[in-house]
Amino acid sequence: MERIIKASSNEGDIVLDPFCGCGTALDAAEKLHRQWIGIDITHIAIHVIKKRLTEKYPDVKFEVIGEPKDLESAKELARQNRFQFQLWALSLIEATPSEKMIADEGIDGVLYHSWLNKNYRGIIQVKSGHVGPKDIRDFKGTMKRENADYGIFITLEEPTEAMKKEAIEEGFFDTDYEQKIPRIQIFTIEQLLNGENPKYPAPRNKYNVAERGKREGKNSTQKIIDDIE
């Protein structure tokens, strides 16, 4: 891609990739000091590109058009496309979409962590409609079935007191990295947009992304995107 861009443009020119996927062309354009425009319809692809560029080029500046920035725009995305809303919500906590979200098995995303030779797995469920205590009870059953260490329940609506009680009853667990981690954490979209973050049993790092691929037999994040699409 770098050879193509070098052969067909000069520094300062604009490179357009209308189907940018994981952002390979944008990465090459940024490296070669070109301006660039990338277009993709999936929020998970946009998340991957943002993460890729900001980690590789700390001073990079870009604007994402069409991504929810506040609660009202998040609600609008949920009304337009529930599936894309789920993908976008997962990106707020850097979770990877689960293949099982397609089969509607109660798992929308997954998180893998490793710390001091111990592995931890979290599962995520995203709800854009009405929620109640039954949703948390069902989520408990999914966690047990999947043998998950913890779960994160993301909701567009405010959780009820009964939901919070159900979550608290699941208890806590400790790790060498973080103490008193709730086994079920409930977060609203508004909380996540305001910068609140879940408690994790280990730090997020590149190894955890590779670990997810190792466990599920994926070669790259692009393969996950292809499966979802």
Side-chain angles (χ1 to χ4, degrees), residues 43-44 47 50 67-71 73-75 77 83-93 156 189 193:
H43 284 278
I44 184 60
H47 167 66
K50 287 166 57 180
E67 186 177 58
K69 302 295 184 183
D70 52 36
L71 186 59
S73 55
K75 289 179 179 179
L77 175 60
F83 185 71
Q84 288 300 321
F85 171 80
Q86 289 176 342
L87 294 176
W88 169 76
L90 291 171
S91 76
L92 296 178
I93 59 170
L156 191 56
I189 290 294
L193 286 172

mmCIF file with all atom_site columns, all heavy atoms in Angstrom, residues 43-44 47 50 67-71 73-75 77 83-93 156 189 193:
data_model
loop_
_atom_site.group_PDB
_atom_site.id
_atom_site.type_symbol
_atom_site.label_atom_id
_atom_site.label_alt_id
_atom_site.label_comp_id
_atom_site.label_asym_id
_atom_site.label_entity_id
_atom_site.label_seq_id
_atom_site.pdbx_PDB_ins_code
_atom_site.Cartn_x
_atom_site.Cartn_y
_atom_site.Cartn_z
_atom_site.occupancy
_atom_site.B_iso_or_equiv
_atom_site.pdbx_formal_charge
_atom_site.auth_seq_id
_atom_site.auth_comp_id
_atom_site.auth_asym_id
_atom_site.auth_atom_id
_atom_site.pdbx_PDB_model_num
ATOM 1   N N   . HIS A 1 43  ? -19.226 0.373  12.967 1.00 0.00 ? 43  HIS A N   1
ATOM 2   C CA  . HIS A 1 43  ? -18.595 1.085  14.070 1.00 0.00 ? 43  HIS A CA  1
ATOM 3   C C   . HIS A 1 43  ? -17.405 0.331  14.633 1.00 0.00 ? 43  HIS A C   1
ATOM 4   O O   . HIS A 1 43  ? -16.479 0.945  15.168 1.00 0.00 ? 43  HIS A O   1
ATOM 5   C CB  . HIS A 1 43  ? -19.627 1.373  15.163 1.00 0.00 ? 43  HIS A CB  1
ATOM 6   C CG  . HIS A 1 43  ? -20.538 2.499  14.812 1.00 0.00 ? 43  HIS A CG  1
ATOM 7   N ND1 . HIS A 1 43  ? -20.194 3.821  14.981 1.00 0.00 ? 43  HIS A ND1 1
ATOM 8   C CD2 . HIS A 1 43  ? -21.778 2.504  14.251 1.00 0.00 ? 43  HIS A CD2 1
ATOM 9   C CE1 . HIS A 1 43  ? -21.183 4.597  14.571 1.00 0.00 ? 43  HIS A CE1 1
ATOM 10  N NE2 . HIS A 1 43  ? -22.148 3.820  14.126 1.00 0.00 ? 43  HIS A NE2 1
ATOM 11  N N   . ILE A 1 44  ? -17.400 -0.986 14.514 1.00 0.00 ? 44  ILE A N   1
ATOM 12  C CA  . ILE A 1 44  ? -16.242 -1.729 15.003 1.00 0.00 ? 44  ILE A CA  1
ATOM 13  C C   . ILE A 1 44  ? -15.024 -1.426 14.129 1.00 0.00 ? 44  ILE A C   1
ATOM 14  O O   . ILE A 1 44  ? -13.899 -1.311 14.622 1.00 0.00 ? 44  ILE A O   1
ATOM 15  C CB  . ILE A 1 44  ? -16.523 -3.251 15.062 1.00 0.00 ? 44  ILE A CB  1
ATOM 16  C CG1 . ILE A 1 44  ? -15.344 -4.010 15.674 1.00 0.00 ? 44  ILE A CG1 1
ATOM 17  C CG2 . ILE A 1 44  ? -16.841 -3.810 13.688 1.00 0.00 ? 44  ILE A CG2 1
ATOM 18  C CD1 . ILE A 1 44  ? -14.991 -3.614 17.069 1.00 0.00 ? 44  ILE A CD1 1
ATOM 19  N N   . HIS A 1 47  ? -13.679 1.905  15.204 1.00 0.00 ? 47  HIS A N   1
ATOM 20  C CA  . HIS A 1 47  ? -12.961 1.755  16.471 1.00 0.00 ? 47  HIS A CA  1
ATOM 21  C C   . HIS A 1 47  ? -11.557 1.191  16.246 1.00 0.00 ? 47  HIS A C   1
ATOM 22  O O   . HIS A 1 47  ? -10.583 1.678  16.833 1.00 0.00 ? 47  HIS A O   1
ATOM 23  C CB  . HIS A 1 47  ? -13.741 0.837  17.405 1.00 0.00 ? 47  HIS A CB  1
ATOM 24  C CG  . HIS A 1 47  ? -12.960 0.384  18.595 1.00 0.00 ? 47  HIS A CG  1
ATOM 25  N ND1 . HIS A 1 47  ? -12.534 1.255  19.580 1.00 0.00 ? 47  HIS A ND1 1
ATOM 26  C CD2 . HIS A 1 47  ? -12.493 -0.836 18.949 1.00 0.00 ? 47  HIS A CD2 1
ATOM 27  C CE1 . HIS A 1 47  ? -11.858 0.586  20.498 1.00 0.00 ? 47  HIS A CE1 1
ATOM 28  N NE2 . HIS A 1 47  ? -11.805 -0.683 20.137 1.00 0.00 ? 47  HIS A NE2 1
ATOM 29  N N   . LYS A 1 50  ? -9.326  3.944  14.714 1.00 0.00 ? 50  LYS A N   1
ATOM 30  C CA  . LYS A 1 50  ? -8.969  4.957  15.711 1.00 0.00 ? 50  LYS A CA  1
ATOM 31  C C   . LYS A 1 50  ? -7.870  4.443  16.636 1.00 0.00 ? 50  LYS A C   1
ATOM 32  O O   . LYS A 1 50  ? -6.884  5.145  16.901 1.00 0.00 ? 50  LYS A O   1
ATOM 33  C CB  . LYS A 1 50  ? -10.202 5.341  16.534 1.00 0.00 ? 50  LYS A CB  1
ATOM 34  C CG  . LYS A 1 50  ? -11.207 6.195  15.788 1.00 0.00 ? 50  LYS A CG  1
ATOM 35  C CD  . LYS A 1 50  ? -12.538 6.252  16.503 1.00 0.00 ? 50  LYS A CD  1
ATOM 36  C CE  . LYS A 1 50  ? -12.433 6.769  17.907 1.00 0.00 ? 50  LYS A CE  1
ATOM 37  N NZ  . LYS A 1 50  ? -13.760 6.824  18.577 1.00 0.00 ? 50  LYS A NZ  1
ATOM 38  N N   . GLU A 1 67  ? -20.312 9.317  14.332 1.00 0.00 ? 67  GLU A N   1
ATOM 39  C CA  . GLU A 1 67  ? -20.203 8.528  15.550 1.00 0.00 ? 67  GLU A CA  1
ATOM 40  C C   . GLU A 1 67  ? -20.922 9.265  16.678 1.00 0.00 ? 67  GLU A C   1
ATOM 41  O O   . GLU A 1 67  ? -20.745 10.466 16.838 1.00 0.00 ? 67  GLU A O   1
ATOM 42  C CB  . GLU A 1 67  ? -18.730 8.332  15.898 1.00 0.00 ? 67  GLU A CB  1
ATOM 43  C CG  . GLU A 1 67  ? -18.484 7.409  17.067 1.00 0.00 ? 67  GLU A CG  1
ATOM 44  C CD  . GLU A 1 67  ? -16.993 7.215  17.300 1.00 0.00 ? 67  GLU A CD  1
ATOM 45  O OE1 . GLU A 1 67  ? -16.280 8.217  17.521 1.00 0.00 ? 67  GLU A OE1 1
ATOM 46  O OE2 . GLU A 1 67  ? -16.536 6.063  17.254 1.00 0.00 ? 67  GLU A OE2 1
ATOM 47  N N   . PRO A 1 68  ? -21.738 8.560  17.484 1.00 0.00 ? 68  PRO A N   1
ATOM 48  C CA  . PRO A 1 68  ? -22.438 9.238  18.582 1.00 0.00 ? 68  PRO A CA  1
ATOM 49  C C   . PRO A 1 68  ? -21.464 9.942  19.523 1.00 0.00 ? 68  PRO A C   1
ATOM 50  O O   . PRO A 1 68  ? -20.444 9.380  19.914 1.00 0.00 ? 68  PRO A O   1
ATOM 51  C CB  . PRO A 1 68  ? -23.160 8.089  19.298 1.00 0.00 ? 68  PRO A CB  1
ATOM 52  C CG  . PRO A 1 68  ? -23.349 7.049  18.255 1.00 0.00 ? 68  PRO A CG  1
ATOM 53  C CD  . PRO A 1 68  ? -22.124 7.136  17.390 1.00 0.00 ? 68  PRO A CD  1
ATOM 54  N N   . LYS A 1 69  ? -21.827 11.168 19.899 1.00 0.00 ? 69  LYS A N   1
ATOM 55  C CA  . LYS A 1 69  ? -20.994 11.948 20.807 1.00 0.00 ? 69  LYS A CA  1
ATOM 56  C C   . LYS A 1 69  ? -21.703 12.227 22.127 1.00 0.00 ? 69  LYS A C   1
ATOM 57  O O   . LYS A 1 69  ? -21.072 12.647 23.097 1.00 0.00 ? 69  LYS A O   1
ATOM 58  C CB  . LYS A 1 69  ? -20.614 13.286 20.158 1.00 0.00 ? 69  LYS A CB  1
ATOM 59  C CG  . LYS A 1 69  ? -19.885 13.163 18.835 1.00 0.00 ? 69  LYS A CG  1
ATOM 60  C CD  . LYS A 1 69  ? -18.522 12.512 18.997 1.00 0.00 ? 69  LYS A CD  1
ATOM 61  C CE  . LYS A 1 69  ? -17.778 12.486 17.662 1.00 0.00 ? 69  LYS A CE  1
ATOM 62  N NZ  . LYS A 1 69  ? -16.472 11.790 17.779 1.00 0.00 ? 69  LYS A NZ  1
ATOM 63  N N   . ASP A 1 70  ? -23.020 12.033 22.151 1.00 0.00 ? 70  ASP A N   1
ATOM 64  C CA  . ASP A 1 70  ? -23.797 12.295 23.361 1.00 0.00 ? 70  ASP A CA  1
ATOM 65  C C   . ASP A 1 70  ? -24.941 11.295 23.444 1.00 0.00 ? 70  ASP A C   1
ATOM 66  O O   . ASP A 1 70  ? -25.112 10.444 22.565 1.00 0.00 ? 70  ASP A O   1
ATOM 67  C CB  . ASP A 1 70  ? -24.316 13.736 23.381 1.00 0.00 ? 70  ASP A CB  1
ATOM 68  C CG  . ASP A 1 70  ? -25.068 14.101 22.096 1.00 0.00 ? 70  ASP A CG  1
ATOM 69  O OD1 . ASP A 1 70  ? -25.765 13.214 21.536 1.00 0.00 ? 70  ASP A OD1 1
ATOM 70  O OD2 . ASP A 1 70  ? -24.961 15.253 21.644 1.00 0.00 ? 70  ASP A OD2 1
ATOM 71  N N   . LEU A 1 71  ? -25.722 11.393 24.513 1.00 0.00 ? 71  LEU A N   1
ATOM 72  C CA  . LEU A 1 71  ? -26.792 10.420 24.757 1.00 0.00 ? 71  LEU A CA  1
ATOM 73  C C   . LEU A 1 71  ? -27.848 10.450 23.663 1.00 0.00 ? 71  LEU A C   1
ATOM 74  O O   . LEU A 1 71  ? -28.328 9.394  23.227 1.00 0.00 ? 71  LEU A O   1
ATOM 75  C CB  . LEU A 1 71  ? -27.419 10.686 26.125 1.00 0.00 ? 71  LEU A CB  1
ATOM 76  C CG  . LEU A 1 71  ? -28.463 9.666  26.595 1.00 0.00 ? 71  LEU A CG  1
ATOM 77  C CD1 . LEU A 1 71  ? -27.866 8.267  26.671 1.00 0.00 ? 71  LEU A CD1 1
ATOM 78  C CD2 . LEU A 1 71  ? -29.031 10.091 27.948 1.00 0.00 ? 71  LEU A CD2 1
ATOM 79  N N   . SER A 1 73  ? -27.598 11.316 20.461 1.00 0.00 ? 73  SER A N   1
ATOM 80  C CA  . SER A 1 73  ? -27.136 10.705 19.213 1.00 0.00 ? 73  SER A CA  1
ATOM 81  C C   . SER A 1 73  ? -26.978 9.193  19.375 1.00 0.00 ? 73  SER A C   1
ATOM 82  O O   . SER A 1 73  ? -27.145 8.438  18.420 1.00 0.00 ? 73  SER A O   1
ATOM 83  C CB  . SER A 1 73  ? -25.824 11.342 18.750 1.00 0.00 ? 73  SER A CB  1
ATOM 84  O OG  . SER A 1 73  ? -24.832 11.285 19.755 1.00 0.00 ? 73  SER A OG  1
ATOM 85  N N   . ALA A 1 74  ? -26.680 8.736  20.599 1.00 0.00 ? 74  ALA A N   1
ATOM 86  C CA  . ALA A 1 74  ? -26.622 7.294  20.865 1.00 0.00 ? 74  ALA A CA  1
ATOM 87  C C   . ALA A 1 74  ? -28.014 6.684  20.734 1.00 0.00 ? 74  ALA A C   1
ATOM 88  O O   . ALA A 1 74  ? -28.174 5.598  20.162 1.00 0.00 ? 74  ALA A O   1
ATOM 89  C CB  . ALA A 1 74  ? -26.055 7.041  22.255 1.00 0.00 ? 74  ALA A CB  1
ATOM 90  N N   . LYS A 1 75  ? -29.014 7.368  21.252 1.00 0.00 ? 75  LYS A N   1
ATOM 91  C CA  . LYS A 1 75  ? -30.403 6.892  21.130 1.00 0.00 ? 75  LYS A CA  1
ATOM 92  C C   . LYS A 1 75  ? -30.825 6.839  19.671 1.00 0.00 ? 75  LYS A C   1
ATOM 93  O O   . LYS A 1 75  ? -31.526 5.914  19.246 1.00 0.00 ? 75  LYS A O   1
ATOM 94  C CB  . LYS A 1 75  ? -31.344 7.797  21.922 1.00 0.00 ? 75  LYS A CB  1
ATOM 95  C CG  . LYS A 1 75  ? -31.203 7.670  23.430 1.00 0.00 ? 75  LYS A CG  1
ATOM 96  C CD  . LYS A 1 75  ? -32.156 8.627  24.142 1.00 0.00 ? 75  LYS A CD  1
ATOM 97  C CE  . LYS A 1 75  ? -32.041 8.491  25.655 1.00 0.00 ? 75  LYS A CE  1
ATOM 98  N NZ  . LYS A 1 75  ? -32.941 9.434  26.370 1.00 0.00 ? 75  LYS A NZ  1
ATOM 99  N N   . LEU A 1 77  ? -28.862 6.368  17.054 1.00 0.00 ? 77  LEU A N   1
ATOM 100 C CA  . LEU A 1 77  ? -28.222 5.210  16.439 1.00 0.00 ? 77  LEU A CA  1
ATOM 101 C C   . LEU A 1 77  ? -28.961 3.933  16.800 1.00 0.00 ? 77  LEU A C   1
ATOM 102 O O   . LEU A 1 77  ? -29.160 3.059  15.948 1.00 0.00 ? 77  LEU A O   1
ATOM 103 C CB  . LEU A 1 77  ? -26.758 5.115  16.886 1.00 0.00 ? 77  LEU A CB  1
ATOM 104 C CG  . LEU A 1 77  ? -25.984 3.877  16.400 1.00 0.00 ? 77  LEU A CG  1
ATOM 105 C CD1 . LEU A 1 77  ? -25.933 3.819  14.877 1.00 0.00 ? 77  LEU A CD1 1
ATOM 106 C CD2 . LEU A 1 77  ? -24.567 3.870  16.981 1.00 0.00 ? 77  LEU A CD2 1
ATOM 107 N N   . PHE A 1 83  ? -28.017 -3.250 15.776 1.00 0.00 ? 83  PHE A N   1
ATOM 108 C CA  . PHE A 1 83  ? -26.777 -4.022 15.696 1.00 0.00 ? 83  PHE A CA  1
ATOM 109 C C   . PHE A 1 83  ? -25.554 -3.108 15.702 1.00 0.00 ? 83  PHE A C   1
ATOM 110 O O   . PHE A 1 83  ? -24.586 -3.351 16.428 1.00 0.00 ? 83  PHE A O   1
ATOM 111 C CB  . PHE A 1 83  ? -26.800 -4.880 14.428 1.00 0.00 ? 83  PHE A CB  1
ATOM 112 C CG  . PHE A 1 83  ? -25.618 -5.806 14.304 1.00 0.00 ? 83  PHE A CG  1
ATOM 113 C CD1 . PHE A 1 83  ? -25.489 -6.915 15.126 1.00 0.00 ? 83  PHE A CD1 1
ATOM 114 C CD2 . PHE A 1 83  ? -24.635 -5.581 13.359 1.00 0.00 ? 83  PHE A CD2 1
ATOM 115 C CE1 . PHE A 1 83  ? -24.409 -7.777 15.015 1.00 0.00 ? 83  PHE A CE1 1
ATOM 116 C CE2 . PHE A 1 83  ? -23.543 -6.430 13.230 1.00 0.00 ? 83  PHE A CE2 1
ATOM 117 C CZ  . PHE A 1 83  ? -23.440 -7.535 14.065 1.00 0.00 ? 83  PHE A CZ  1
ATOM 118 N N   . GLN A 1 84  ? -25.604 -2.028 14.924 1.00 0.00 ? 84  GLN A N   1
ATOM 119 C CA  . GLN A 1 84  ? -24.492 -1.086 14.912 1.00 0.00 ? 84  GLN A CA  1
ATOM 120 C C   . GLN A 1 84  ? -24.368 -0.361 16.255 1.00 0.00 ? 84  GLN A C   1
ATOM 121 O O   . GLN A 1 84  ? -23.259 -0.032 16.685 1.00 0.00 ? 84  GLN A O   1
ATOM 122 C CB  . GLN A 1 84  ? -24.665 -0.074 13.775 1.00 0.00 ? 84  GLN A CB  1
ATOM 123 C CG  . GLN A 1 84  ? -24.432 -0.649 12.399 1.00 0.00 ? 84  GLN A CG  1
ATOM 124 C CD  . GLN A 1 84  ? -23.024 -1.204 12.233 1.00 0.00 ? 84  GLN A CD  1
ATOM 125 O OE1 . GLN A 1 84  ? -22.053 -0.622 12.716 1.00 0.00 ? 84  GLN A OE1 1
ATOM 126 N NE2 . GLN A 1 84  ? -22.901 -2.334 11.563 1.00 0.00 ? 84  GLN A NE2 1
ATOM 127 N N   . PHE A 1 85  ? -25.502 -0.143 16.913 1.00 0.00 ? 85  PHE A N   1
ATOM 128 C CA  . PHE A 1 85  ? -25.454 0.439  18.255 1.00 0.00 ? 85  PHE A CA  1
ATOM 129 C C   . PHE A 1 85  ? -24.686 -0.478 19.204 1.00 0.00 ? 85  PHE A C   1
ATOM 130 O O   . PHE A 1 85  ? -23.860 -0.017 20.001 1.00 0.00 ? 85  PHE A O   1
ATOM 131 C CB  . PHE A 1 85  ? -26.870 0.663  18.784 1.00 0.00 ? 85  PHE A CB  1
ATOM 132 C CG  . PHE A 1 85  ? -26.919 1.048  20.235 1.00 0.00 ? 85  PHE A CG  1
ATOM 133 C CD1 . PHE A 1 85  ? -26.669 2.345  20.637 1.00 0.00 ? 85  PHE A CD1 1
ATOM 134 C CD2 . PHE A 1 85  ? -27.185 0.083  21.215 1.00 0.00 ? 85  PHE A CD2 1
ATOM 135 C CE1 . PHE A 1 85  ? -26.691 2.699  21.985 1.00 0.00 ? 85  PHE A CE1 1
ATOM 136 C CE2 . PHE A 1 85  ? -27.206 0.427  22.557 1.00 0.00 ? 85  PHE A CE2 1
ATOM 137 C CZ  . PHE A 1 85  ? -26.966 1.732  22.941 1.00 0.00 ? 85  PHE A CZ  1
ATOM 138 N N   . GLN A 1 86  ? -24.926 -1.773 19.124 1.00 0.00 ? 86  GLN A N   1
ATOM 139 C CA  . GLN A 1 86  ? -24.219 -2.725 19.976 1.00 0.00 ? 86  GLN A CA  1
ATOM 140 C C   . GLN A 1 86  ? -22.714 -2.685 19.709 1.00 0.00 ? 86  GLN A C   1
ATOM 141 O O   . GLN A 1 86  ? -21.904 -2.665 20.645 1.00 0.00 ? 86  GLN A O   1
ATOM 142 C CB  . GLN A 1 86  ? -24.756 -4.135 19.747 1.00 0.00 ? 86  GLN A CB  1
ATOM 143 C CG  . GLN A 1 86  ? -26.160 -4.361 20.285 1.00 0.00 ? 86  GLN A CG  1
ATOM 144 C CD  . GLN A 1 86  ? -26.684 -5.750 19.955 1.00 0.00 ? 86  GLN A CD  1
ATOM 145 O OE1 . GLN A 1 86  ? -26.170 -6.424 19.060 1.00 0.00 ? 86  GLN A OE1 1
ATOM 146 N NE2 . GLN A 1 86  ? -27.702 -6.186 20.665 1.00 0.00 ? 86  GLN A NE2 1
ATOM 147 N N   . LEU A 1 87  ? -22.344 -2.666 18.428 1.00 0.00 ? 87  LEU A N   1
ATOM 148 C CA  . LEU A 1 87  ? -20.922 -2.619 18.080 1.00 0.00 ? 87  LEU A CA  1
ATOM 149 C C   . LEU A 1 87  ? -20.269 -1.343 18.598 1.00 0.00 ? 87  LEU A C   1
ATOM 150 O O   . LEU A 1 87  ? -19.153 -1.368 19.121 1.00 0.00 ? 87  LEU A O   1
ATOM 151 C CB  . LEU A 1 87  ? -20.748 -2.716 16.570 1.00 0.00 ? 87  LEU A CB  1
ATOM 152 C CG  . LEU A 1 87  ? -21.153 -4.041 15.914 1.00 0.00 ? 87  LEU A CG  1
ATOM 153 C CD1 . LEU A 1 87  ? -21.014 -3.942 14.401 1.00 0.00 ? 87  LEU A CD1 1
ATOM 154 C CD2 . LEU A 1 87  ? -20.310 -5.186 16.445 1.00 0.00 ? 87  LEU A CD2 1
ATOM 155 N N   . TRP A 1 88  ? -20.971 -0.229 18.459 1.00 0.00 ? 88  TRP A N   1
ATOM 156 C CA  . TRP A 1 88  ? -20.432 1.041  18.944 1.00 0.00 ? 88  TRP A CA  1
ATOM 157 C C   . TRP A 1 88  ? -20.295 1.024  20.463 1.00 0.00 ? 88  TRP A C   1
ATOM 158 O O   . TRP A 1 88  ? -19.269 1.457  21.006 1.00 0.00 ? 88  TRP A O   1
ATOM 159 C CB  . TRP A 1 88  ? -21.345 2.190  18.510 1.00 0.00 ? 88  TRP A CB  1
ATOM 160 C CG  . TRP A 1 88  ? -21.012 3.479  19.187 1.00 0.00 ? 88  TRP A CG  1
ATOM 161 C CD1 . TRP A 1 88  ? -19.961 4.313  18.916 1.00 0.00 ? 88  TRP A CD1 1
ATOM 162 C CD2 . TRP A 1 88  ? -21.716 4.075  20.285 1.00 0.00 ? 88  TRP A CD2 1
ATOM 163 N NE1 . TRP A 1 88  ? -19.980 5.386  19.774 1.00 0.00 ? 88  TRP A NE1 1
ATOM 164 C CE2 . TRP A 1 88  ? -21.033 5.267  20.611 1.00 0.00 ? 88  TRP A CE2 1
ATOM 165 C CE3 . TRP A 1 88  ? -22.863 3.727  21.000 1.00 0.00 ? 88  TRP A CE3 1
ATOM 166 C CZ2 . TRP A 1 88  ? -21.464 6.111  21.643 1.00 0.00 ? 88  TRP A CZ2 1
ATOM 167 C CZ3 . TRP A 1 88  ? -23.289 4.549  22.033 1.00 0.00 ? 88  TRP A CZ3 1
ATOM 168 C CH2 . TRP A 1 88  ? -22.585 5.724  22.330 1.00 0.00 ? 88  TRP A CH2 1
ATOM 169 N N   . ALA A 1 89  ? -21.310 0.517  21.166 1.00 0.00 ? 89  ALA A N   1
ATOM 170 C CA  . ALA A 1 89  ? -21.258 0.459  22.629 1.00 0.00 ? 89  ALA A CA  1
ATOM 171 C C   . ALA A 1 89  ? -20.092 -0.407 23.102 1.00 0.00 ? 89  ALA A C   1
ATOM 172 O O   . ALA A 1 89  ? -19.403 -0.061 24.069 1.00 0.00 ? 89  ALA A O   1
ATOM 173 C CB  . ALA A 1 89  ? -22.572 -0.081 23.180 1.00 0.00 ? 89  ALA A CB  1
ATOM 174 N N   . LEU A 1 90  ? -19.839 -1.517 22.419 1.00 0.00 ? 90  LEU A N   1
ATOM 175 C CA  . LEU A 1 90  ? -18.706 -2.376 22.784 1.00 0.00 ? 90  LEU A CA  1
ATOM 176 C C   . LEU A 1 90  ? -17.381 -1.636 22.620 1.00 0.00 ? 90  LEU A C   1
ATOM 177 O O   . LEU A 1 90  ? -16.452 -1.830 23.406 1.00 0.00 ? 90  LEU A O   1
ATOM 178 C CB  . LEU A 1 90  ? -18.705 -3.634 21.915 1.00 0.00 ? 90  LEU A CB  1
ATOM 179 C CG  . LEU A 1 90  ? -19.853 -4.624 22.159 1.00 0.00 ? 90  LEU A CG  1
ATOM 180 C CD1 . LEU A 1 90  ? -19.841 -5.711 21.089 1.00 0.00 ? 90  LEU A CD1 1
ATOM 181 C CD2 . LEU A 1 90  ? -19.749 -5.253 23.546 1.00 0.00 ? 90  LEU A CD2 1
ATOM 182 N N   . SER A 1 91  ? -17.306 -0.773 21.614 1.00 0.00 ? 91  SER A N   1
ATOM 183 C CA  . SER A 1 91  ? -16.051 -0.039 21.386 1.00 0.00 ? 91  SER A CA  1
ATOM 184 C C   . SER A 1 91  ? -15.752 0.935  22.512 1.00 0.00 ? 91  SER A C   1
ATOM 185 O O   . SER A 1 91  ? -14.593 1.303  22.734 1.00 0.00 ? 91  SER A O   1
ATOM 186 C CB  . SER A 1 91  ? -16.108 0.712  20.047 1.00 0.00 ? 91  SER A CB  1
ATOM 187 O OG  . SER A 1 91  ? -16.922 1.879  20.128 1.00 0.00 ? 91  SER A OG  1
ATOM 188 N N   . LEU A 1 92  ? -16.768 1.359  23.262 1.00 0.00 ? 92  LEU A N   1
ATOM 189 C CA  . LEU A 1 92  ? -16.562 2.303  24.353 1.00 0.00 ? 92  LEU A CA  1
ATOM 190 C C   . LEU A 1 92  ? -15.715 1.704  25.470 1.00 0.00 ? 92  LEU A C   1
ATOM 191 O O   . LEU A 1 92  ? -15.064 2.436  26.223 1.00 0.00 ? 92  LEU A O   1
ATOM 192 C CB  . LEU A 1 92  ? -17.907 2.779  24.919 1.00 0.00 ? 92  LEU A CB  1
ATOM 193 C CG  . LEU A 1 92  ? -18.800 3.587  23.975 1.00 0.00 ? 92  LEU A CG  1
ATOM 194 C CD1 . LEU A 1 92  ? -20.106 3.937  24.662 1.00 0.00 ? 92  LEU A CD1 1
ATOM 195 C CD2 . LEU A 1 92  ? -18.092 4.856  23.505 1.00 0.00 ? 92  LEU A CD2 1
ATOM 196 N N   . ILE A 1 93  ? -15.731 0.377  25.600 1.00 0.00 ? 93  ILE A N   1
ATOM 197 C CA  . ILE A 1 93  ? -14.901 -0.276 26.617 1.00 0.00 ? 93  ILE A CA  1
ATOM 198 C C   . ILE A 1 93  ? -13.841 -1.160 25.961 1.00 0.00 ? 93  ILE A C   1
ATOM 199 O O   . ILE A 1 93  ? -13.246 -2.011 26.613 1.00 0.00 ? 93  ILE A O   1
ATOM 200 C CB  . ILE A 1 93  ? -15.749 -1.094 27.614 1.00 0.00 ? 93  ILE A CB  1
ATOM 201 C CG1 . ILE A 1 93  ? -16.564 -2.182 26.895 1.00 0.00 ? 93  ILE A CG1 1
ATOM 202 C CG2 . ILE A 1 93  ? -16.673 -0.188 28.415 1.00 0.00 ? 93  ILE A CG2 1
ATOM 203 C CD1 . ILE A 1 93  ? -17.220 -3.153 27.855 1.00 0.00 ? 93  ILE A CD1 1
ATOM 204 N N   . LEU A 1 156 ? -28.853 1.371  27.634 1.00 0.00 ? 156 LEU A N   1
ATOM 205 C CA  . LEU A 1 156 ? -29.181 2.737  27.216 1.00 0.00 ? 156 LEU A CA  1
ATOM 206 C C   . LEU A 1 156 ? -30.064 3.400  28.261 1.00 0.00 ? 156 LEU A C   1
ATOM 207 O O   . LEU A 1 156 ? -29.979 4.604  28.496 1.00 0.00 ? 156 LEU A O   1
ATOM 208 C CB  . LEU A 1 156 ? -29.875 2.708  25.857 1.00 0.00 ? 156 LEU A CB  1
ATOM 209 C CG  . LEU A 1 156 ? -30.068 4.024  25.112 1.00 0.00 ? 156 LEU A CG  1
ATOM 210 C CD1 . LEU A 1 156 ? -28.745 4.752  24.915 1.00 0.00 ? 156 LEU A CD1 1
ATOM 211 C CD2 . LEU A 1 156 ? -30.727 3.776  23.763 1.00 0.00 ? 156 LEU A CD2 1
ATOM 212 N N   . ILE A 1 189 ? -24.942 3.953  28.975 1.00 0.00 ? 189 ILE A N   1
ATOM 213 C CA  . ILE A 1 189 ? -24.229 4.616  27.884 1.00 0.00 ? 189 ILE A CA  1
ATOM 214 C C   . ILE A 1 189 ? -23.778 6.003  28.320 1.00 0.00 ? 189 ILE A C   1
ATOM 215 O O   . ILE A 1 189 ? -22.657 6.442  28.013 1.00 0.00 ? 189 ILE A O   1
ATOM 216 C CB  . ILE A 1 189 ? -25.127 4.710  26.637 1.00 0.00 ? 189 ILE A CB  1
ATOM 217 C CG1 . ILE A 1 189 ? -25.346 3.323  26.025 1.00 0.00 ? 189 ILE A CG1 1
ATOM 218 C CG2 . ILE A 1 189 ? -24.529 5.662  25.609 1.00 0.00 ? 189 ILE A CG2 1
ATOM 219 C CD1 . ILE A 1 189 ? -24.098 2.677  25.461 1.00 0.00 ? 189 ILE A CD1 1
ATOM 220 N N   . LEU A 1 193 ? -19.993 7.493  28.170 1.00 0.00 ? 193 LEU A N   1
ATOM 221 C CA  . LEU A 1 193 ? -19.690 8.705  27.414 1.00 0.00 ? 193 LEU A CA  1
ATOM 222 C C   . LEU A 1 193 ? -19.052 9.770  28.304 1.00 0.00 ? 193 LEU A C   1
ATOM 223 O O   . LEU A 1 193 ? -18.276 10.604 27.822 1.00 0.00 ? 193 LEU A O   1
ATOM 224 C CB  . LEU A 1 193 ? -20.968 9.258  26.774 1.00 0.00 ? 193 LEU A CB  1
ATOM 225 C CG  . LEU A 1 193 ? -21.510 8.503  25.557 1.00 0.00 ? 193 LEU A CG  1
ATOM 226 C CD1 . LEU A 1 193 ? -22.867 9.056  25.155 1.00 0.00 ? 193 LEU A CD1 1
ATOM 227 C CD2 . LEU A 1 193 ? -20.542 8.561  24.391 1.00 0.00 ? 193 LEU A CD2 1
#
